[in-house]
Amino acid sequence: MFLENATVNSVTQIGTNVFLLNLQSDKIAKHAKPGQFVNIKVSNSNFPLLRRPFSICNVEGDSFTIMFISVGGGTSALQNKQRGESVDVMGPLGNGFSLAGNFDKAVIVAGGIGAAPFPFLIRELDKTGKEIICFSGGRSKNDCITYEMKNVLAATDDGSFGFEGNVVQLLGSEINKLKNDRIKIFGCGPTPMLKSLQQFCISNSFEAEISTESSMACGFGICQGCPIESTTNKEKYLLVCKDGPVFNVNDVELP
Amino acid sequence: MFLENATVNSVTQIGTNVFLLNLQSDKIAKHAKPGQFVNIKVSNSNFPLLRRPFSICNVEGDSFTIMFISVGGGTSALQNKQRGESVDVMGPLGNGFSLAGNFDKAVIVAGGIGAAPFPFLIRELDKTGKEIICFSGGRSKNDCITYEMKNVLAATDDGSFGFEGNVVQLLGSEINKLKNDRIKIFGCGPTPMLKSLQQFCISNSFEAEISTESSMACGFGICQGCPIESTTNKEKYLLVCKDGPVFNVNDVELP
Amino acid sequence: MSAIDLSVSIGPLTLRNPILLASGTVGYGNEISEFVDLNKIGGIVTKSLSLKPRKGNSPQRVVETPSGMLNAIGLANVGVEEFLKTKIPFLKKFDTKIICNIAASSVEEYVECTRLLTGEETISAFEINVSCPNVKEGGLEFGNDKRAVARITEQVKNVSTKPVFIKLSPNVSRISEFALAAKEAGADAVSAINTLVGTAFDIMTRKPKIKNITGGLSGPAIKPVALAKVLEIRRNVDIPIIGVGGIFSWQDAVEFMIAGASAFQLGTVNFVYPNISETMVNDLILYCEKMKIASLKNLTGSFIL
Amino acid sequence: MSAIDLSVSIGPLTLRNPILLASGTVGYGNEISEFVDLNKIGGIVTKSLSLKPRKGNSPQRVVETPSGMLNAIGLANVGVEEFLKTKIPFLKKFDTKIICNIAASSVEEYVECTRLLTGEETISAFEINVSCPNVKEGGLEFGNDKRAVARITEQVKNVSTKPVFIKLSPNVSRISEFALAAKEAGADAVSAINTLVGTAFDIMTRKPKIKNITGGLSGPAIKPVALAKVLEIRRNVDIPIIGVGGIFSWQDAVEFMIAGASAFQLGTVNFVYPNISETMVNDLILYCEKMKIASLKNLTGSFIL
Ligand SMILES: Cc1cc2nc3c(=O)[nH]c(=O)nc-3n(C[C@H](O)[C@H](O)[C@H](O)COP(=O)(O)OP(=O)(O)OC[C@H]3O[C@@H](n4cnc5c(N)ncnc54)[C@H](O)[C@@H]3O)c2cc1C
Ligand SMILES: Cc1cc2nc3c(=O)[nH]c(=O)nc-3n(C[C@H](O)[C@H](O)[C@H](O)COP(=O)(O)OP(=O)(O)OC[C@H]3O[C@@H](n4cnc5c(N)ncnc54)[C@H](O)[C@@H]3O)c2cc1C
Ligand SMILES: Cc1cc2nc3c(=O)[nH]c(=O)nc-3n(C[C@H](O)[C@H](O)[C@H](O)COP(=O)(O)O)c2cc1C
Ligand SMILES: Cc1cc2nc3c(=O)[nH]c(=O)nc-3n(C[C@H](O)[C@H](O)[C@H](O)COP(=O)(O)O)c2cc1C
Ligand code: FES
Ligand code: FES
């Protein structure tokens, strides 16, 4: 966990409202694992006041990239960063995906901007020689992000691109073809999508990890602002920022 | 009084910490008089929250210029404006200098950034064929602004440039040379300097107008945030933003 | 012409729309009318009027704070007589509700001001500013004393048939108890909130940045507090509420209505975006259309807990 | 090594410097210690501890507001026993003051917590969080009831010889009356302020943005209010004050000392600039040098009115 003044290498638009921000930051890039996130102080002023959390999308040498959609004050400020500007970043934060487990085929399931952490994960999985298949969903073609994915099957609610329906329905329709592989599912996306994915994985008893989201104030465990219900211990919440954001699909009850 | 989204034509640095901002704005430029000011919403965020007042430094066709020193959040944001950006400006505000009065020679007295309104005034005085002599003072050479002044005599507290002492002392030492002209004094600068200038003008019964300053919330008379004591009516404050910022030297008691 | 009905009522007073200009932030309407067509908004609340003219506090009166500002104007105003003589004629020209805000240093003065003003037909209602020192009784604010609030309400109602709104101070533990006191004394509505007490120091001179030492905090910084006060009143007392505190956008205004406000006032925002009260009209229509709300008044207190 | 003396005392407790970490904003120190050398600051105030562990409120617990944030954590904490067993051993390692913050739902629980903790030598003082619902007596906050504050103070002092600080709620009319009640009941100091009650709504769902409906407002937005409360206490009651509320820079901290604080706490800022408590040390030295202040404690209450 480091605090770094990272230098902006580039801001690239890769979709209607989707951007890549590449930051020069040796420490964070060196220690990052797939599924971890960074917490960024977007401006020097009180607006926005709090840091903004973003998954680490990929790592290139001593720089790393985040992928974000511009939804409000913080992200629109990020989108306007100029090359050479310095940005105050904290990270890497949280626990990432585990590449362990006895599986031959990794099944990536992304909903919308949930695609963000997967380029990094896919690269690491490749190194271990696992097979990879990707499912990416969105409301319509523009919301369906397949950046640096491989063997992608797409789903859109309006059918404007790929399968018509949500990404979990698509996964369901394809699952028979995967039945005889030993698979592990890696999911990230909006909570409703994660809920149906969780339901799907549990009922089919697939090994799976999901990257969850929560509003956050600190991002490193000091504010208790990001609780998530544990399935095992009802006395105590888990923290998305510190115990997550990635959890085994069996360990958390999604809100 | 207009609200305009003015386009930034240029930001030019003319001194250590002194900048010119030229804004495209037909309405304000068309109606401005020397000594009036504009009130600028520097950002779209809550930081800074309130508008920032600046004297109109000069008018060129359908654009106008302000001159400012970067002292805090608002002015440093202005200093970083890019050509083509749009800025929310209200103006022209307040009452300017009066070119009337039976004088042949205009005596300009500026302290520090108090030089800001004079390029515009000097140009208008020129048109009326008046003689002009300028006195500009500052803490040291860098704080002594003579931008677009003519026949300038400079004063610095540390003597690093021109007369050693403050600008009112310099005026005093030169006044005999002006004794036989019919003069009118125009002053602008920090309140302590205006106070001694006022004292000087009153004791010598010179005709004079001074541009005063006050913290402001609205800039156009609705908040009552900028009172200044009147010499004639003790029952009621005058408002710097609406009754001023320029006052006849005999009409106000400086704080 | 849109099908959406923006009209609302505050007790007996019906407004074209819920947009009001807050007391002390638009004087008597003259300057703001250069940016806003007053005929397009719900109404305007005057600067607090006292029986005699008040000079107000000496400068510095205002300073910016994070997402807010402090003010200590000291209720500078022209006084009731001058108001009737020189300000009413201007306000008469508009088809908008004129709400007269009154500030006083004794119960008697509140009553006397109301008596002198109530005859003026241009005035649609009164808003009583109880955030004033009770000079006769030790200088503590009327606004912190339930009995004082009740007494003022009762006696003001006695001398006027027009709607009376009590503008509550937020600097109390349970604002709903004050709203109840006002209601039981006959108030037609309450306005919530006035400014929070605050201060700021210059670390070089070690002097307060405001000559009066403390000032009233307003602006976006106080919006969450104002919303909580409105919600507290709504959930505990059955009285119409006029929401005010930190509204800087139509979205903020909608939040206040959802929390329980029948109408709302724009204050500090007038200094920054003087035309927002007029531009907001269309934004509210678009919101209603999007949310399929036929009548804006149905938004009041529509929170889902 | 600078000649400036940064040490201050809060009643009987002497600190290396006035920089404290506020309760609930650094947990029990583990995570923040990765950014801050706790040996360099004055001390750390623990998350509020209750007799039994508390799970806290269900999400959403936090939301950003203009220059501030709302939180409704619900006093989630490990409980006194677990704290002594698993948190103290870590805190023991540092040469810094450990101030134990206690929250409870009855006077008896406050006393019991103190009794169990006071034996632990690592604990230098107690801070009593009275902004908690008094479950036994109708659920209203202890913090809004002078007699309750006095009773808690008195009985906590009875079971501990260590300094006791009462952390006051700002949601009252006259905070100085509560400071006086605490003082007369034997408190060694007061901490001012806790968060202001606030709320926010999502205008699309019409639901509160915080599951608990209301939350506590903190951050720069409340700084002017916190400063005014500190100043009010300073001018009316002779008791040491720990200033807290919206401090985001060393300049803010200096304002609190000028207003009357002997020490100050950093809260929300830890979420944004987790190392500021350490970097601030040098900034305070530079300020003292510039202002020719030999001993920082001389700054306390040095305002010029
Ligand atoms: C662990 C984690 C990883 C994340 N990774 C990414 C990522 O890789 N790419 C990406 O684009 N976004 C990511 N997010 C979401 C991202 O943090 C928010 O979109 C961002 O904070 C919005 O900030 P803003 O100031 O632009 O918008 P705001 O003005 O703060 O909010 C605008 C809208 O976004 C919603 N929003 C704000 N914060 C969050 C949040 N934390 N989670 C969900 N919705 C929110 C608000 O409710 C509001 O509707 C992640 C969030 C978390 C907790
Ligand atoms: C009628 C009028 C005309 C002005 N014309 C000019 C001009 O032509 N050029 C120029 O550079 N400045 C001018 N000023 C001053 C200018 O408005 C302030 O410097 C500016 O508002 C500072 O904003 P900021 O956010 O950068 O600094 P802030 O962060 O707001 O303040 C930084 C420092 O500046 C001081 N300051 C802030 N506002 C004022 C103010 N209104 N008057 C004096 N000091 C202030 C603060 O006390 C603080 O010490 C004028 C002020 C008025 C009232
Ligand atoms: C400069 C200023 C002057 C004010 N004067 C008055 C007043 O005379 N009477 C009154 O009842 N409220 C007065 N107020 C309070 C406002 O009417 C309003 O209640 C408060 O500012 C909160 O709203 P806002 O955050 O939208 O400004 C004043 C506020 C400001 C900023
Ligand atoms: C997330 C969060 C949790 C808090 N928890 C506690 C707590 O458990 N006990 C307590 O006395 N104060 C608690 N506080 C209040 C802070 O200690 C502090 O009084 C308040 O936040 C104002 O300071 P700030 O503006 O610097 O944050 C909490 C504040 C925040 C933001
Ligand atoms: S965001 Fe603060 S504890 Fe998780
Ligand atoms: S600044 Fe508002 S009245 Fe002058």
Side-chain angles (χ1 to χ4, degrees):
Chain A
M1 187 160 66
F2 307 96
L3 266 180
E4 278 197 287
N5 283 319
T7 310
V8 174
N9 287 328
S10 62
V11 182
T12 327
Q13 182 156 13
I14 62 163
T16 327
N17 198 24
V18 187
F19 301 84
L20 295 177
L21 171 65
N22 180 266
L23 294 166
Q24 195 64 30
S25 150
D26 48 357
K27 289 207 211 69
I28 293 174
K30 173 124 60 25
H31 294 80
K33 291 189 209 63
Q36 288 188 302
F37 67 101
V38 292
N39 213 2
I40 301 183
K41 180 60 173 130
V42 162
S43 75
N44 317 330
S45 81
N46 287 339
F47 180 80
L49 185 72
L50 299 172
R51 290 173 179 266
R52 296 292 189 255
F54 298 94
S55 305
I56 295 167
C57 175
N58 216 339
V59 168
E60 305 83 13
D62 52 11
S63 80
F64 71 91
T65 301
I66 64 168
M67 180 200 295
F68 64 94
I69 37 172
S70 188
V71 293
T75 44
S76 62
L78 277 183
Q79 143 189 8
N80 294 322
K81 292 289 178 193
Q82 306 296 319
R83 178 185 171 77
E85 263 186 78
S86 155
V87 180
D88 175 351
V89 189
M90 183 193 297
L93 300 169
N95 299 312
F97 294 105
S98 151
L99 289 73
N102 45 17
F103 62 101
D104 324 302
K105 185 174 272 183
V107 179
I108 307 290
V109 186
I113 192 66
F118 291 126
F120 192 11
L121 176 66
I122 289 169
R123 215 188 48 199
E124 295 305 304
L125 285 167
D126 267 339
K127 291 185 188 160
T128 68
K130 308 270 187 192
E131 260 186 87
I132 297 166
I133 177 166
C134 299
F135 295 83
S136 179
R139 232 175 275 87
S140 75
K141 193 173 194 312
N142 292 336
D143 312 303
C144 183
I145 304 170
T146 60
Y147 178 76
E148 285 185 11
M149 288 183 175
K150 49 199 291 187
N151 313 323
V152 188
L153 295 173
T156 52
D157 302 347
D158 62 4
S160 56
F161 182 50
F163 174 87
E164 177 167 350
N166 71 49
V167 68
V168 179
Q169 292 167 330
L170 171 60
L171 177 62
S173 70
E174 294 288 318
I175 200 68
N176 298 326
K177 306 179 187 155
L178 306 168
K179 270 272 159 51
N180 8 22
D181 305 298
R182 296 187 311 158
I183 65 167
K184 178 173 181 178
I185 296 172
F186 299 88
C188 183
T191 303
M193 168 252 178
L194 289 183
K195 274 179 124 150
S196 55
L197 178 64
Q198 181 182 43
Q199 225 253 315
F200 176 82
C201 296
I202 291 172
S203 52
N204 294 280
S205 55
F206 289 127
E207 183 176 4
E209 291 182 356
I210 50 175
S211 178
T212 60
E213 233 190 47
S214 161
S215 52
M216 297 185 169
C218 74
F220 65 104
I222 62 172
C223 79
Q224 302 284 317
C226 61
I228 185 164
E229 190 80 56
S230 152
T231 45
T232 53
N233 177 358
K234 293 276 160 237
E235 306 300 297
K236 201 169 166 306
Y237 281 107
L238 294 164
L239 295 178
V240 170
C241 73
K242 200 163 176 251
D243 304 311
V246 176
F247 292 99
N248 180 299
V249 76
N250 303 304
D251 294 351
V252 289
E253 269 180 32
L254 293 167
Chain B
M1 188 158 65
F2 307 97
L3 265 181
E4 277 196 287
N5 283 318
T7 310
V8 174
N9 287 329
S10 63
V11 182
T12 328
Q13 182 156 13
I14 61 163
T16 328
N17 197 25
V18 188
F19 301 84
L20 295 177
L21 170 65
N22 180 265
L23 293 166
Q24 196 62 30
S25 149
D26 49 356
K27 290 208 211 68
I28 293 174
K30 174 125 56 35
H31 293 81
K33 293 190 208 62
Q36 288 188 300
F37 68 100
V38 293
N39 212 4
I40 301 183
K41 180 62 173 123
V42 162
S43 76
N44 315 330
S45 80
N46 287 338
F47 181 79
L49 185 72
L50 299 173
R51 289 173 180 266
R52 296 294 191 251
F54 299 93
S55 303
I56 295 167
C57 176
N58 215 338
V59 169
E60 305 82 13
D62 51 12
S63 79
F64 71 90
T65 302
I66 63 167
M67 179 200 293
F68 64 93
I69 37 171
S70 189
V71 294
T75 43
S76 63
L78 277 184
Q79 147 189 3
N80 294 320
K81 291 288 177 195
Q82 305 296 319
R83 177 184 173 78
E85 262 187 82
S86 155
V87 180
D88 175 352
V89 189
M90 183 193 297
L93 300 170
N95 299 312
F97 294 105
S98 152
L99 303 168
N102 45 19
F103 63 100
D104 324 300
K105 183 175 275 183
V107 179
I108 307 290
V109 185
I113 191 65
F118 291 127
F120 191 12
L121 175 65
I122 288 169
R123 217 189 45 199
E124 295 304 305
L125 284 167
D126 266 339
K127 292 185 188 161
T128 67
K130 307 271 188 191
E131 260 185 89
I132 297 167
I133 176 167
C134 299
F135 294 83
S136 179
R139 231 176 277 89
S140 76
K141 194 174 193 313
N142 292 335
D143 313 302
C144 183
I145 304 170
T146 60
Y147 177 75
E148 285 188 8
M149 288 184 174
K150 49 199 289 188
N151 313 325
V152 188
L153 295 175
T156 53
D157 301 348
D158 62 6
S160 55
F161 181 52
F163 175 87
E164 176 166 354
N166 72 48
V167 68
V168 180
Q169 291 167 331
L170 170 59
L171 176 63
S173 70
E174 293 287 319
I175 200 66
N176 298 328
K177 305 179 187 154
L178 306 168
K179 268 276 162 47
N180 13 23
D181 306 298
R182 295 187 312 157
I183 67 168
K184 179 174 181 178
I185 296 175
F186 298 88
C188 183
T191 303
M193 167 248 173
L194 289 183
K195 274 178 122 154
S196 56
L197 179 62
Q198 181 182 44
Q199 224 252 315
F200 176 82
C201 294
I202 291 172
S203 53
N204 294 279
S205 54
F206 289 127
E207 183 176 3
E209 291 182 359
I210 51 174
S211 178
T212 61
E213 231 189 48
S214 162
S215 51
M216 296 185 169
C218 75
F220 64 104
I222 61 173
C223 79
Q224 303 283 318
C226 60
I228 186 166
E229 190 78 58
S230 151
T231 44
T232 53
N233 177 357
K234 292 279 161 233
E235 307 300 300
K236 200 169 166 307
Y237 281 108
L238 295 164
L239 295 178
V240 170
C241 73
K242 200 162 175 254
D243 304 312
V246 176
F247 292 99
N248 180 299
V249 75
N250 303 304
D251 294 350
V252 290
E253 269 181 32
L254 294 167
Chain C
M1 193 49 218
S2 136
I4 308 288
D5 174 15
L6 293 185
S7 73
V8 300
S9 5
I10 309 168
L13 184 69
T14 298
L15 307 176
R16 171 183 298 113
N17 58 49
I19 305 165
L20 298 168
L21 302 179
S23 180
T25 67
V26 291
Y28 311 102
N30 311 64
E31 298 83 5
I32 200 75
S33 68
E34 296 196 32
F35 295 107
V36 177
D37 178 353
L38 297 177
N39 301 304
K40 294 243 164 50
I41 65 171
I44 167 174
V45 186
T46 69
K47 172 74 185 171
S48 280
L49 294 166
S50 48
L51 196 51
K52 299 264 153 286
R54 284 203 198 195
K55 188 177 181 183
N57 297 329
S58 44
Q60 181 170 352
R61 285 181 177 181
V62 294
V63 68
E64 183 164 330
T65 64
S67 297
M69 65 173 279
L70 290 168
N71 88 82
I73 306 301
L75 299 171
N77 78 92
V78 298
V80 166
E81 197 178 316
E82 174 81 3
F83 172 76
L84 287 170
K85 193 145 17 81
T86 67
K87 305 301 179 182
I88 282 287
F90 173 79
L91 292 169
K92 258 194 192 342
K93 292 188 269 166
F94 300 96
D95 170 22
T96 197
K97 301 297 183 196
I98 308 302
I99 300 170
C100 222
N101 181 296
I102 298 174
S105 49
S106 72
V107 179
E108 296 69 21
E109 188 184 352
Y110 280 109
V111 173
E112 184 60 10
C113 291
T114 314
R115 216 179 45 68
L116 291 170
L117 290 162
T118 193
E120 172 50 58
E121 60 182 8
T122 316
I123 299 171
S124 308
F126 293 102
E127 181 177 69
I128 305 299
N129 176 7
V130 293
S131 302
C132 312
N134 181 344
V135 171
K136 283 196 178 170
E137 288 164 31
L140 280 188
E141 267 192 23
F142 292 104
N144 298 345
D145 174 350
K146 273 165 241 162
R147 277 180 285 88
V149 169
R151 206 169 334 116
I152 294 167
T153 309
E154 203 169 0
Q155 299 199 23
V156 164
K157 282 297 283 184
N158 284 343
V159 295
S160 176
T161 55
K162 291 180 175 173
V164 172
F165 311 146
I166 304 300
K167 185 164 183 184
L168 300 174
S169 161
N171 306 299
V172 298
S173 310
R174 301 268 309 159
I175 199 170
S176 51
E177 295 174 359
F178 289 79
L180 182 62
K183 175 193 162 72
E184 289 175 345
D188 297 281
V190 292
S191 304
I193 60 175
N194 212 317
T195 54
L196 292 162
V197 176
T199 192
F201 286 90
D202 180 317
I203 66 169
M204 292 305 157
T205 63
R206 305 209 306 277
K207 289 184 182 163
K209 288 185 175 176
I210 297 262
K211 191 72 194 304
N212 185 57
I213 303 174
T214 62
L217 182 64
S218 66
I222 71 168
K223 191 186 72 166
V225 175
L227 277 169
K229 300 286 189 186
V230 167
L231 182 65
E232 184 199 326
I233 297 169
R234 175 74 182 189
R235 295 175 82 188
N236 294 281
V237 186
D238 179 20
I239 187 168
I241 305 163
I242 303 165
V244 50
I247 299 176
F248 257 61
S249 67
W250 67 266
Q251 292 94 333
D252 295 337
V254 165
E255 269 191 276
F256 273 85
M257 293 192 74
I258 289 170
S262 301
F264 55 85
Q265 298 176 356
L266 305 176
T268 302
V269 69
N270 294 305
F271 307 156
V272 184
Y273 305 113
N275 58 347
I276 189 174
S277 53
E278 186 174 345
T279 57
M280 196 180 274
V281 175
N282 196 47
D283 296 322
L284 291 175
I285 291 172
L286 295 176
Y287 172 77
C288 289
E289 286 170 354
K290 181 156 189 228
M291 305 294 284
K292 312 231 177 323
I293 297 170
S295 177
L296 184 54
K297 60 171 75 70
N298 298 336
L299 195 61
T300 297
S302 64
F303 53 79
I304 298 164
L305 301 182
Chain D
M1 193 47 220
S2 134
I4 308 288
D5 173 15
L6 293 185
S7 72
V8 301
S9 7
I10 310 168
L13 183 70
T14 298
L15 307 175
R16 170 184 299 113
N17 58 50
I19 305 166
L20 298 167
L21 302 179
S23 180
T25 67
V26 291
Y28 312 101
N30 311 62
E31 298 83 5
I32 199 74
S33 67
E34 296 195 32
F35 295 107
V36 177
D37 178 353
L38 297 177
N39 301 304
K40 294 245 165 51
I41 65 171
I44 167 173
V45 186
T46 68
K47 172 72 184 172
S48 280
L49 293 166
S50 48
L51 196 52
K52 300 263 153 289
R54 283 203 201 195
K55 187 177 181 184
N57 297 329
S58 42
Q60 182 169 350
R61 286 181 175 179
V62 294
V63 67
E64 182 164 329
T65 65
S67 296
M69 65 174 279
L70 290 167
N71 88 83
I73 306 302
L75 299 171
N77 78 91
V78 298
V80 166
E81 196 178 316
E82 174 79 3
F83 172 76
L84 288 169
K85 193 141 23 79
T86 68
K87 306 300 180 183
I88 281 288
F90 173 79
L91 291 169
K92 257 194 193 336
K93 292 187 270 168
F94 300 97
D95 170 23
T96 196
K97 301 297 183 198
I98 308 302
I99 300 170
C100 226
N101 181 295
I102 298 174
S105 48
S106 72
V107 178
E108 296 71 18
E109 188 184 352
Y110 279 110
V111 174
E112 185 59 10
C113 292
T114 313
R115 214 180 45 68
L116 291 168
L117 291 162
T118 192
E120 172 52 58
E121 62 182 8
T122 316
I123 298 171
S124 308
F126 293 102
E127 179 177 70
I128 305 298
N129 175 6
V130 293
S131 301
C132 312
N134 181 345
V135 171
K136 283 197 178 172
E137 289 164 32
L140 280 189
E141 266 193 22
F142 293 104
N144 297 346
D145 174 350
K146 272 166 241 160
R147 276 180 286 87
V149 168
R151 207 167 336 112
I152 295 168
T153 310
E154 201 167 3
Q155 299 199 22
V156 164
K157 282 298 284 185
N158 283 344
V159 296
S160 174
T161 56
K162 291 180 174 172
V164 171
F165 311 146
I166 305 300
K167 185 164 182 183
L168 301 174
S169 160
N171 307 299
V172 299
S173 309
R174 300 269 308 161
I175 198 170
S176 52
E177 296 173 0
F178 290 79
L180 182 61
K183 175 191 161 74
E184 290 177 342
D188 298 282
V190 291
S191 303
I193 61 175
N194 211 317
T195 53
L196 291 163
V197 176
T199 191
F201 286 91
D202 180 317
I203 65 169
M204 292 305 158
T205 63
R206 305 210 306 278
K207 289 184 182 165
K209 287 185 175 176
I210 296 262
K211 191 72 194 308
N212 184 59
I213 303 173
T214 61
L217 182 64
S218 65
I222 72 169
K223 190 185 76 167
V225 175
L227 276 169
K229 300 286 188 186
V230 167
L231 182 65
E232 184 199 325
I233 297 169
R234 175 72 180 191
R235 296 174 80 188
N236 294 282
V237 185
D238 179 18
I239 187 168
I241 304 163
I242 303 165
V244 51
I247 300 176
F248 257 61
S249 67
W250 66 266
Q251 292 93 336
D252 296 337
V254 165
E255 269 190 277
F256 273 84
M257 293 192 73
I258 289 170
S262 301
F264 54 85
Q265 298 175 357
L266 306 177
T268 302
V269 70
N270 294 304
F271 307 156
V272 184
Y273 304 114
N275 58 346
I276 189 174
S277 53
E278 185 172 347
T279 57
M280 195 180 275
V281 175
N282 196 47
D283 296 323
L284 291 176
I285 290 173
L286 295 177
Y287 172 77
C288 288
E289 285 170 353
K290 181 155 191 230
M291 303 295 284
K292 311 227 177 326
I293 297 170
S295 176
L296 184 53
K297 61 172 74 73
N298 298 336
L299 196 60
T300 297
S302 63
F303 52 79
I304 297 164
L305 301 184

